[in-house]
Amino acid sequence: MRVAIIGAHGKVAQQLMRVLYDLGDDFVGIVRNDEHADDVYRLGGEGVLLDIESADASALAGAIAGCDAVVFAAGAGAGSGIERKRTVDYGGSVTSQEAAAQAGIRRFVQVSAWGVDAPVEGDDPVWAAYVEAKRDADAALRASGLDWTILRPGGLTTEDGTGLVTLGDSVPRGSIAREDVARLIAVVLHEPGSIGRQWEVVAGDTPLEDAVRAPVASA
């Protein structure tokens, strides 16, 4: 499989590239500058310079042409303001969806966030903008006509992955290692039964592959 990774310099994406390399999959990492592209090459992939905030869908489609799947793992990140939550977390996703369609790539996996369909708690406008951007990006993907999977991890940690998760349509609040999120992305990419599924996921007691297969088998 050849996978286009949008936001390839992010921490989850960096873990994903290592996982894909070990699986023997090829990947194209979309990044914003030369230094980040070098990181993709060091991990065994092809780095492409393109800013998803300013590029149009046709430019991105050209960059990802020939791939079998797209993983949207971009985010404005900590310290960014309300505007960039909208332009990256939402706008970047919508542009990537349009680019995938133009490039003839049907498979699309999106990394979202736990609980974004619930009412926003607190009075932090930046947090509200983040939640709304993720929620709206997920809604756009569900309506896109692509073969989508949406993963909504809990709080992301830098701990080593365990390979054990709790996964479902709705799961209790919790955290999960970025390494395990990356492994989960790789599992769903290779599991056609995950198409059209939206799952929350946190650390748990079930092996990743079993966690994905259980709801697929019961669907």
Side-chain angles (χ1 to χ4, degrees):
M1 181 178 290
R2 184 170 174 82
V3 182
I5 304 173
I6 313 299
H9 190 65
K11 294 178 181 178
V12 169
Q14 294 279 302
Q15 295 280 358
L16 175 61
M17 288 187 282
R18 294 183 176 92
V19 172
L20 293 176
Y21 179 84
D22 289 342
L23 290 172
D25 290 326
D26 294 329
F27 51 89
V28 176
I30 307 300
V31 294
R32 295 179 64 181
N33 62 53
D34 289 329
E35 181 181 345
H36 296 171
D38 287 343
D39 289 340
V40 177
Y41 287 116
R42 280 194 290 269
L43 290 168
E46 176 186 343
V48 175
L49 294 178
L50 189 144
D51 186 346
I52 62 169
E53 287 185 87
S54 58
D56 61 21
S58 60
L60 181 54
I64 64 177
C67 290
D68 303 298
V70 173
V71 173
F72 184 82
S80 58
I82 292 173
E83 182 177 349
R84 293 203 68 227
K85 301 302 185 192
R86 201 68 190 171
T87 56
V88 179
D89 294 81
Y90 171 72
S93 173
V94 171
T95 298
S96 299
Q97 295 168 35
E98 294 171 353
Q102 289 183 24
I105 304 168
R106 294 203 52 79
R107 192 71 175 101
F108 198 108
V109 176
Q110 180 150 286
V111 181
S112 182
W114 181 93
V116 295
D117 286 334
V120 178
E121 298 179 358
D123 56 1
D124 182 348
V126 176
W127 174 251
Y130 169 78
V131 171
E132 291 167 2
K134 290 297 189 188
R135 179 199 64 207
D136 294 349
D138 290 351
L141 181 55
R142 291 193 299 268
S144 67
L146 298 172
D147 293 338
W148 56 267
T149 303
I150 296 170
L151 300 175
R152 292 176 157 182
L156 299 172
T157 75
T158 58
E159 297 173 359
D160 291 339
T162 64
L164 303 172
V165 299
T166 296
L167 178 146
D169 295 339
S170 179
V171 303
R173 183 192 299 269
S175 61
I176 184 171
R178 288 180 174 87
E179 181 181 353
D180 282 334
V181 176
R183 292 177 182 174
L184 181 61
I185 295 168
V187 170
V188 301
L189 280 170
H190 291 276
E191 174 50 71
S194 67
I195 292 171
R197 304 301 298 267
Q198 175 177 282
W199 290 317
E200 294 183 343
V201 60
V202 296
D205 301 316
T206 306
L208 282 163
E209 293 82 358
D210 294 344
V212 170
R213 291 186 187 123
V216 166
S218 63

mmCIF file of all heavy atoms in Angstrom, residues 109-155:
data_model
loop_
_atom_site.group_PDB
_atom_site.id
_atom_site.type_symbol
_atom_site.label_atom_id
_atom_site.label_comp_id
_atom_site.label_asym_id
_atom_site.label_seq_id
_atom_site.Cartn_x
_atom_site.Cartn_y
_atom_site.Cartn_z
ATOM 1 N N VAL A 109 -8.458 7.939 5.980
ATOM 2 C CA VAL A 109 -8.497 7.754 7.441
ATOM 3 C C VAL A 109 -8.181 9.089 8.098
ATOM 4 O O VAL A 109 -7.168 9.722 7.770
ATOM 5 C CB VAL A 109 -7.500 6.676 7.899
ATOM 6 C CG1 VAL A 109 -7.488 6.572 9.424
ATOM 7 C CG2 VAL A 109 -7.843 5.325 7.274
ATOM 8 N N GLN A 110 -9.044 9.503 9.013
ATOM 9 C CA GLN A 110 -8.877 10.799 9.671
ATOM 10 C C GLN A 110 -8.653 10.629 11.167
ATOM 11 O O GLN A 110 -9.388 9.907 11.841
ATOM 12 C CB GLN A 110 -10.118 11.651 9.435
ATOM 13 C CG GLN A 110 -10.065 13.039 10.081
ATOM 14 C CD GLN A 110 -10.857 14.037 9.283
ATOM 15 O OE1 GLN A 110 -10.419 14.469 8.205
ATOM 16 N NE2 GLN A 110 -12.035 14.423 9.772
ATOM 17 N N VAL A 111 -7.637 11.324 11.674
ATOM 18 C CA VAL A 111 -7.387 11.355 13.114
ATOM 19 C C VAL A 111 -8.117 12.558 13.687
ATOM 20 O O VAL A 111 -7.759 13.708 13.399
ATOM 21 C CB VAL A 111 -5.881 11.427 13.428
ATOM 22 C CG1 VAL A 111 -5.666 11.434 14.938
ATOM 23 C CG2 VAL A 111 -5.138 10.259 12.783
ATOM 24 N N SER A 112 -9.130 12.317 14.476
ATOM 25 C CA SER A 112 -9.936 13.371 15.073
ATOM 26 C C SER A 112 -9.611 13.451 16.573
ATOM 27 O O SER A 112 -8.451 13.378 16.947
ATOM 28 C CB SER A 112 -11.419 13.076 14.803
ATOM 29 O OG SER A 112 -12.240 14.096 15.314
ATOM 30 N N ALA A 113 -10.615 13.594 17.402
ATOM 31 C CA ALA A 113 -10.378 13.708 18.844
ATOM 32 C C ALA A 113 -11.593 13.197 19.605
ATOM 33 O O ALA A 113 -12.737 13.311 19.141
ATOM 34 C CB ALA A 113 -10.080 15.157 19.237
ATOM 35 N N TRP A 114 -11.339 12.662 20.769
ATOM 36 C CA TRP A 114 -12.388 12.107 21.618
ATOM 37 C C TRP A 114 -13.411 13.181 22.001
ATOM 38 O O TRP A 114 -13.064 14.312 22.322
ATOM 39 C CB TRP A 114 -11.749 11.529 22.883
ATOM 40 C CG TRP A 114 -12.710 10.907 23.850
ATOM 41 C CD1 TRP A 114 -13.068 9.594 23.916
ATOM 42 C CD2 TRP A 114 -13.429 11.566 24.900
ATOM 43 N NE1 TRP A 114 -13.964 9.399 24.931
ATOM 44 C CE2 TRP A 114 -14.209 10.593 25.556
ATOM 45 C CE3 TRP A 114 -13.494 12.884 25.340
ATOM 46 C CZ2 TRP A 114 -15.043 10.900 26.622
ATOM 47 C CZ3 TRP A 114 -14.331 13.193 26.402
ATOM 48 C CH2 TRP A 114 -15.092 12.210 27.039
ATOM 49 N N GLY A 115 -14.680 12.808 21.946
ATOM 50 C CA GLY A 115 -15.733 13.622 22.532
ATOM 51 C C GLY A 115 -16.112 14.895 21.810
ATOM 52 O O GLY A 115 -16.798 15.745 22.388
ATOM 53 N N VAL A 116 -15.727 15.046 20.549
ATOM 54 C CA VAL A 116 -15.969 16.344 19.909
ATOM 55 C C VAL A 116 -17.425 16.560 19.491
ATOM 56 O O VAL A 116 -17.781 17.672 19.088
ATOM 57 C CB VAL A 116 -15.031 16.561 18.698
ATOM 58 C CG1 VAL A 116 -13.586 16.636 19.152
ATOM 59 C CG2 VAL A 116 -15.212 15.488 17.642
ATOM 60 N N ASP A 117 -18.253 15.535 19.587
ATOM 61 C CA ASP A 117 -19.676 15.743 19.304
ATOM 62 C C ASP A 117 -20.442 16.249 20.523
ATOM 63 O O ASP A 117 -21.590 16.691 20.396
ATOM 64 C CB ASP A 117 -20.331 14.445 18.818
ATOM 65 C CG ASP A 117 -19.931 14.098 17.398
ATOM 66 O OD1 ASP A 117 -19.583 15.026 16.641
ATOM 67 O OD2 ASP A 117 -19.961 12.899 17.048
ATOM 68 N N ALA A 118 -19.819 16.188 21.687
ATOM 69 C CA ALA A 118 -20.472 16.636 22.916
ATOM 70 C C ALA A 118 -20.395 18.158 23.034
ATOM 71 O O ALA A 118 -19.511 18.793 22.441
ATOM 72 C CB ALA A 118 -19.811 15.987 24.133
ATOM 73 N N PRO A 119 -21.305 18.769 23.783
ATOM 74 C CA PRO A 119 -21.214 20.216 24.021
ATOM 75 C C PRO A 119 -19.861 20.583 24.636
ATOM 76 O O PRO A 119 -19.314 19.842 25.459
ATOM 77 C CB PRO A 119 -22.359 20.481 25.002
ATOM 78 C CG PRO A 119 -23.328 19.367 24.777
ATOM 79 C CD PRO A 119 -22.490 18.169 24.447
ATOM 80 N N VAL A 120 -19.331 21.720 24.226
ATOM 81 C CA VAL A 120 -18.024 22.157 24.714
ATOM 82 C C VAL A 120 -18.134 22.600 26.178
ATOM 83 O O VAL A 120 -19.007 23.403 26.526
ATOM 84 C CB VAL A 120 -17.479 23.316 23.853
ATOM 85 C CG1 VAL A 120 -16.135 23.799 24.389
ATOM 86 C CG2 VAL A 120 -17.353 22.872 22.404
ATOM 87 N N GLU A 121 -17.236 22.073 27.001
ATOM 88 C CA GLU A 121 -17.215 22.451 28.408
ATOM 89 C C GLU A 121 -16.248 23.612 28.624
ATOM 90 O O GLU A 121 -15.219 23.718 27.963
ATOM 91 C CB GLU A 121 -16.786 21.265 29.273
ATOM 92 C CG GLU A 121 -17.744 20.075 29.188
ATOM 93 C CD GLU A 121 -17.270 18.916 30.043
ATOM 94 O OE1 GLU A 121 -16.198 19.030 30.666
ATOM 95 O OE2 GLU A 121 -17.968 17.883 30.085
ATOM 96 N N GLY A 122 -16.565 24.490 29.570
ATOM 97 C CA GLY A 122 -15.692 25.609 29.869
ATOM 98 C C GLY A 122 -15.924 26.786 28.944
ATOM 99 O O GLY A 122 -16.790 26.765 28.071
ATOM 100 N N ASP A 123 -15.110 27.829 29.141
ATOM 101 C CA ASP A 123 -15.300 29.060 28.376
ATOM 102 C C ASP A 123 -14.042 29.474 27.619
ATOM 103 O O ASP A 123 -13.806 30.656 27.387
ATOM 104 C CB ASP A 123 -15.752 30.189 29.308
ATOM 105 C CG ASP A 123 -14.781 30.411 30.468
ATOM 106 O OD1 ASP A 123 -13.755 29.702 30.530
ATOM 107 O OD2 ASP A 123 -15.059 31.296 31.303
ATOM 108 N N ASP A 124 -13.214 28.474 27.234
ATOM 109 C CA ASP A 124 -11.995 28.751 26.473
ATOM 110 C C ASP A 124 -12.356 28.795 24.986
ATOM 111 O O ASP A 124 -12.682 27.770 24.384
ATOM 112 C CB ASP A 124 -10.964 27.657 26.734
ATOM 113 C CG ASP A 124 -9.653 27.892 26.006
ATOM 114 O OD1 ASP A 124 -9.603 28.766 25.117
ATOM 115 O OD2 ASP A 124 -8.671 27.194 26.319
ATOM 116 N N PRO A 125 -12.300 29.982 24.362
ATOM 117 C CA PRO A 125 -12.711 30.082 22.957
ATOM 118 C C PRO A 125 -11.802 29.311 22.004
ATOM 119 O O PRO A 125 -12.262 28.841 20.954
ATOM 120 C CB PRO A 125 -12.684 31.578 22.678
ATOM 121 C CG PRO A 125 -11.735 32.137 23.686
ATOM 122 C CD PRO A 125 -11.897 31.288 24.909
ATOM 123 N N VAL A 126 -10.524 29.178 22.343
ATOM 124 C CA VAL A 126 -9.614 28.431 21.474
ATOM 125 C C VAL A 126 -9.952 26.944 21.507
ATOM 126 O O VAL A 126 -9.976 26.267 20.471
ATOM 127 C CB VAL A 126 -8.145 28.674 21.879
ATOM 128 C CG1 VAL A 126 -7.206 27.812 21.035
ATOM 129 C CG2 VAL A 126 -7.779 30.147 21.725
ATOM 130 N N TRP A 127 -10.233 26.426 22.702
ATOM 131 C CA TRP A 127 -10.621 25.028 22.820
ATOM 132 C C TRP A 127 -11.936 24.778 22.077
ATOM 133 O O TRP A 127 -12.085 23.775 21.366
ATOM 134 C CB TRP A 127 -10.754 24.629 24.279
ATOM 135 C CG TRP A 127 -11.289 23.235 24.477
ATOM 136 C CD1 TRP A 127 -12.507 22.862 24.952
ATOM 137 C CD2 TRP A 127 -10.591 22.019 24.161
ATOM 138 N NE1 TRP A 127 -12.626 21.488 24.952
ATOM 139 C CE2 TRP A 127 -11.473 20.955 24.477
ATOM 140 C CE3 TRP A 127 -9.332 21.735 23.642
ATOM 141 C CZ2 TRP A 127 -11.111 19.615 24.300
ATOM 142 C CZ3 TRP A 127 -8.974 20.401 23.453
ATOM 143 C CH2 TRP A 127 -9.857 19.372 23.785
ATOM 144 N N ALA A 128 -12.880 25.696 22.206
ATOM 145 C CA ALA A 128 -14.149 25.562 21.504
ATOM 146 C C ALA A 128 -13.926 25.534 19.998
ATOM 147 O O ALA A 128 -14.559 24.749 19.274
ATOM 148 C CB ALA A 128 -15.085 26.702 21.881
ATOM 149 N N ALA A 129 -13.024 26.377 19.509
ATOM 150 C CA ALA A 129 -12.733 26.407 18.074
ATOM 151 C C ALA A 129 -12.119 25.092 17.613
ATOM 152 O O ALA A 129 -12.421 24.595 16.516
ATOM 153 C CB ALA A 129 -11.795 27.570 17.761
ATOM 154 N N TYR A 130 -11.255 24.520 18.442
ATOM 155 C CA TYR A 130 -10.635 23.224 18.120
ATOM 156 C C TYR A 130 -11.694 22.130 18.024
ATOM 157 O O TYR A 130 -11.739 21.362 17.049
ATOM 158 C CB TYR A 130 -9.604 22.882 19.192
ATOM 159 C CG TYR A 130 -9.082 21.462 19.117
ATOM 160 C CD1 TYR A 130 -8.118 21.103 18.182
ATOM 161 C CD2 TYR A 130 -9.547 20.484 19.990
ATOM 162 C CE1 TYR A 130 -7.631 19.798 18.117
ATOM 163 C CE2 TYR A 130 -9.072 19.187 19.928
ATOM 164 C CZ TYR A 130 -8.118 18.849 18.991
ATOM 165 O OH TYR A 130 -7.652 17.561 18.929
ATOM 166 N N VAL A 131 -12.548 22.049 19.030
ATOM 167 C CA VAL A 131 -13.599 21.028 19.050
ATOM 168 C C VAL A 131 -14.513 21.176 17.842
ATOM 169 O O VAL A 131 -14.853 20.200 17.155
ATOM 170 C CB VAL A 131 -14.396 21.099 20.366
ATOM 171 C CG1 VAL A 131 -15.632 20.200 20.305
ATOM 172 C CG2 VAL A 131 -13.516 20.716 21.548
ATOM 173 N N GLU A 132 -14.921 22.406 17.567
ATOM 174 C CA GLU A 132 -15.811 22.649 16.437
ATOM 175 C C GLU A 132 -15.145 22.294 15.106
ATOM 176 O O GLU A 132 -15.787 21.739 14.206
ATOM 177 C CB GLU A 132 -16.249 24.111 16.434
ATOM 178 C CG GLU A 132 -17.188 24.461 17.587
ATOM 179 C CD GLU A 132 -17.361 25.957 17.760
ATOM 180 O OE1 GLU A 132 -16.779 26.725 16.956
ATOM 181 O OE2 GLU A 132 -18.069 26.361 18.709
ATOM 182 N N ALA A 133 -13.853 22.585 14.977
ATOM 183 C CA ALA A 133 -13.135 22.271 13.744
ATOM 184 C C ALA A 133 -13.063 20.767 13.528
ATOM 185 O O ALA A 133 -13.304 20.270 12.415
ATOM 186 C CB ALA A 133 -11.733 22.882 13.775
ATOM 187 N N LYS A 134 -12.735 20.023 14.579
ATOM 188 C CA LYS A 134 -12.662 18.567 14.464
ATOM 189 C C LYS A 134 -14.040 17.974 14.177
ATOM 190 O O LYS A 134 -14.186 17.085 13.320
ATOM 191 C CB LYS A 134 -12.089 17.968 15.749
ATOM 192 C CG LYS A 134 -10.621 18.240 15.981
ATOM 193 C CD LYS A 134 -9.764 17.611 14.903
ATOM 194 C CE LYS A 134 -8.283 17.681 15.229
ATOM 195 N NZ LYS A 134 -7.427 17.231 14.094
ATOM 196 N N ARG A 135 -15.041 18.447 14.880
ATOM 197 C CA ARG A 135 -16.407 17.950 14.674
ATOM 198 C C ARG A 135 -16.862 18.192 13.243
ATOM 199 O O ARG A 135 -17.402 17.302 12.575
ATOM 200 C CB ARG A 135 -17.345 18.661 15.640
ATOM 201 C CG ARG A 135 -18.825 18.257 15.520
ATOM 202 C CD ARG A 135 -19.706 19.303 16.162
ATOM 203 N NE ARG A 135 -19.603 20.591 15.456
ATOM 204 C CZ ARG A 135 -19.811 21.772 16.029
ATOM 205 N NH1 ARG A 135 -20.120 21.861 17.304
ATOM 206 N NH2 ARG A 135 -19.704 22.877 15.304
ATOM 207 N N ASP A 136 -16.632 19.406 12.736
ATOM 208 C CA ASP A 136 -17.088 19.751 11.397
ATOM 209 C C ASP A 136 -16.294 19.014 10.325
ATOM 210 O O ASP A 136 -16.837 18.645 9.265
ATOM 211 C CB ASP A 136 -17.006 21.255 11.180
ATOM 212 C CG ASP A 136 -17.978 22.032 12.073
ATOM 213 O OD1 ASP A 136 -18.851 21.389 12.696
ATOM 214 O OD2 ASP A 136 -17.844 23.266 12.149
ATOM 215 N N ALA A 137 -14.999 18.794 10.565
ATOM 216 C CA ALA A 137 -14.186 18.033 9.620
ATOM 217 C C ALA A 137 -14.680 16.593 9.526
ATOM 218 O O ALA A 137 -14.738 16.009 8.433
ATOM 219 C CB ALA A 137 -12.721 18.071 10.028
ATOM 220 N N ASP A 138 -15.052 16.032 10.660
ATOM 221 C CA ASP A 138 -15.581 14.665 10.660
ATOM 222 C C ASP A 138 -16.899 14.600 9.904
ATOM 223 O O ASP A 138 -17.141 13.669 9.125
ATOM 224 C CB ASP A 138 -15.782 14.175 12.100
ATOM 225 C CG ASP A 138 -14.473 13.932 12.830
ATOM 226 O OD1 ASP A 138 -13.405 13.968 12.187
ATOM 227 O OD2 ASP A 138 -14.527 13.704 14.060
ATOM 228 N N ALA A 139 -17.759 15.585 10.130
ATOM 229 C CA ALA A 139 -19.042 15.611 9.428
ATOM 230 C C ALA A 139 -18.838 15.722 7.921
ATOM 231 O O ALA A 139 -19.526 15.058 7.134
ATOM 232 C CB ALA A 139 -19.897 16.771 9.937
ATOM 233 N N ALA A 140 -17.890 16.554 7.511
ATOM 234 C CA ALA A 140 -17.608 16.708 6.082
ATOM 235 C C ALA A 140 -17.113 15.393 5.485
ATOM 236 O O ALA A 140 -17.503 15.017 4.367
ATOM 237 C CB ALA A 140 -16.572 17.812 5.876
ATOM 238 N N LEU A 141 -16.260 14.692 6.225
ATOM 239 C CA LEU A 141 -15.734 13.427 5.715
ATOM 240 C C LEU A 141 -16.837 12.373 5.605
ATOM 241 O O LEU A 141 -16.905 11.641 4.606
ATOM 242 C CB LEU A 141 -14.605 12.925 6.619
ATOM 243 C CG LEU A 141 -13.946 11.608 6.195
ATOM 244 C CD1 LEU A 141 -13.428 11.678 4.763
ATOM 245 C CD2 LEU A 141 -12.814 11.247 7.166
ATOM 246 N N ARG A 142 -17.713 12.321 6.592
ATOM 247 C CA ARG A 142 -18.808 11.352 6.525
ATOM 248 C C ARG A 142 -19.708 11.601 5.317
ATOM 249 O O ARG A 142 -20.298 10.667 4.775
ATOM 250 C CB ARG A 142 -19.635 11.393 7.810
ATOM 251 C CG ARG A 142 -18.900 10.872 9.039
ATOM 252 C CD ARG A 142 -19.865 10.645 10.208
ATOM 253 N NE ARG A 142 -20.540 11.876 10.611
ATOM 254 C CZ ARG A 142 -20.102 12.706 11.563
ATOM 255 N NH1 ARG A 142 -18.951 12.458 12.191
ATOM 256 N NH2 ARG A 142 -20.791 13.802 11.875
ATOM 257 N N ALA A 143 -19.795 12.850 4.880
ATOM 258 C CA ALA A 143 -20.652 13.211 3.737
ATOM 259 C C ALA A 143 -19.899 13.229 2.411
ATOM 260 O O ALA A 143 -20.486 13.537 1.376
ATOM 261 C CB ALA A 143 -21.270 14.585 3.982
ATOM 262 N N SER A 144 -18.626 12.879 2.434
ATOM 263 C CA SER A 144 -17.771 13.071 1.263
ATOM 264 C C SER A 144 -17.965 12.032 0.169
ATOM 265 O O SER A 144 -17.580 12.260 -0.986
ATOM 266 C CB SER A 144 -16.298 13.046 1.697
ATOM 267 O OG SER A 144 -15.938 11.736 2.145
ATOM 268 N N GLY A 145 -18.490 10.872 0.515
ATOM 269 C CA GLY A 145 -18.573 9.793 -0.455
ATOM 270 C C GLY A 145 -17.311 8.963 -0.537
ATOM 271 O O GLY A 145 -17.253 7.978 -1.298
ATOM 272 N N LEU A 146 -16.276 9.310 0.226
ATOM 273 C CA LEU A 146 -15.046 8.533 0.263
ATOM 274 C C LEU A 146 -15.225 7.307 1.152
ATOM 275 O O LEU A 146 -16.188 7.204 1.924
ATOM 276 C CB LEU A 146 -13.898 9.400 0.793
ATOM 277 C CG LEU A 146 -13.533 10.627 -0.040
ATOM 278 C CD1 LEU A 146 -12.524 11.497 0.707
ATOM 279 C CD2 LEU A 146 -12.981 10.226 -1.403
ATOM 280 N N ASP A 147 -14.284 6.377 1.065
ATOM 281 C CA ASP A 147 -14.272 5.207 1.945
ATOM 282 C C ASP A 147 -13.527 5.588 3.223
ATOM 283 O O ASP A 147 -12.330 5.353 3.368
ATOM 284 C CB ASP A 147 -13.578 4.027 1.251
ATOM 285 C CG ASP A 147 -14.372 3.517 0.063
ATOM 286 O OD1 ASP A 147 -15.588 3.766 0.012
ATOM 287 O OD2 ASP A 147 -13.768 2.880 -0.818
ATOM 288 N N TRP A 148 -14.262 6.171 4.166
ATOM 289 C CA TRP A 148 -13.637 6.809 5.321
ATOM 290 C C TRP A 148 -13.646 5.934 6.564
ATOM 291 O O TRP A 148 -14.499 5.066 6.741
ATOM 292 C CB TRP A 148 -14.328 8.133 5.634
ATOM 293 C CG TRP A 148 -15.817 8.009 5.857
ATOM 294 C CD1 TRP A 148 -16.801 8.151 4.912
ATOM 295 C CD2 TRP A 148 -16.489 7.709 7.090
ATOM 296 N NE1 TRP A 148 -18.048 7.957 5.479
ATOM 297 C CE2 TRP A 148 -17.878 7.680 6.811
ATOM 298 C CE3 TRP A 148 -16.054 7.461 8.389
ATOM 299 C CZ2 TRP A 148 -18.837 7.420 7.797
ATOM 300 C CZ3 TRP A 148 -17.001 7.194 9.380
ATOM 301 C CH2 TRP A 148 -18.376 7.171 9.076
ATOM 302 N N THR A 149 -12.666 6.208 7.426
ATOM 303 C CA THR A 149 -12.660 5.764 8.816
ATOM 304 C C THR A 149 -12.232 6.959 9.652
ATOM 305 O O THR A 149 -11.267 7.649 9.303
ATOM 306 C CB THR A 149 -11.680 4.601 9.065
ATOM 307 O OG1 THR A 149 -11.998 3.510 8.201
ATOM 308 C CG2 THR A 149 -11.750 4.131 10.514
ATOM 309 N N ILE A 150 -12.932 7.216 10.749
ATOM 310 C CA ILE A 150 -12.584 8.310 11.647
ATOM 311 C C ILE A 150 -12.177 7.719 12.989
ATOM 312 O O ILE A 150 -12.931 6.956 13.599
ATOM 313 C CB ILE A 150 -13.770 9.279 11.827
ATOM 314 C CG1 ILE A 150 -14.115 9.948 10.488
ATOM 315 C CG2 ILE A 150 -13.447 10.337 12.883
ATOM 316 C CD1 ILE A 150 -15.410 10.736 10.511
ATOM 317 N N LEU A 151 -10.985 8.073 13.438
ATOM 318 C CA LEU A 151 -10.472 7.631 14.733
ATOM 319 C C LEU A 151 -10.418 8.823 15.673
ATOM 320 O O LEU A 151 -9.848 9.863 15.337
ATOM 321 C CB LEU A 151 -9.076 7.017 14.571
ATOM 322 C CG LEU A 151 -8.996 5.795 13.650
ATOM 323 C CD1 LEU A 151 -7.549 5.355 13.482
ATOM 324 C CD2 LEU A 151 -9.842 4.653 14.201
ATOM 325 N N ARG A 152 -11.011 8.658 16.854
ATOM 326 C CA ARG A 152 -11.094 9.749 17.820
ATOM 327 C C ARG A 152 -10.368 9.351 19.109
ATOM 328 O O ARG A 152 -10.980 8.871 20.061
ATOM 329 C CB ARG A 152 -12.558 10.084 18.096
ATOM 330 C CG ARG A 152 -13.264 10.707 16.901
ATOM 331 C CD ARG A 152 -14.727 10.946 17.161
ATOM 332 N NE ARG A 152 -15.265 11.987 16.290
ATOM 333 C CZ ARG A 152 -16.516 12.435 16.334
ATOM 334 N NH1 ARG A 152 -17.373 11.915 17.211
ATOM 335 N NH2 ARG A 152 -16.922 13.390 15.515
ATOM 336 N N PRO A 153 -9.042 9.538 19.141
ATOM 337 C CA PRO A 153 -8.283 9.142 20.328
ATOM 338 C C PRO A 153 -8.498 10.099 21.494
ATOM 339 O O PRO A 153 -8.811 11.282 21.310
ATOM 340 C CB PRO A 153 -6.835 9.188 19.847
ATOM 341 C CG PRO A 153 -6.843 10.187 18.733
ATOM 342 C CD PRO A 153 -8.181 10.042 18.062
ATOM 343 N N GLY A 154 -8.299 9.562 22.702
ATOM 344 C CA GLY A 154 -8.316 10.392 23.897
ATOM 345 C C GLY A 154 -7.038 11.221 23.985
ATOM 346 O O GLY A 154 -6.350 11.449 22.982
ATOM 347 N N GLY A 155 -6.717 11.678 25.176
ATOM 348 C CA GLY A 155 -5.526 12.493 25.361
ATOM 349 C C GLY A 155 -4.270 11.759 24.919
ATOM 350 O O GLY A 155 -4.039 10.612 25.305
#
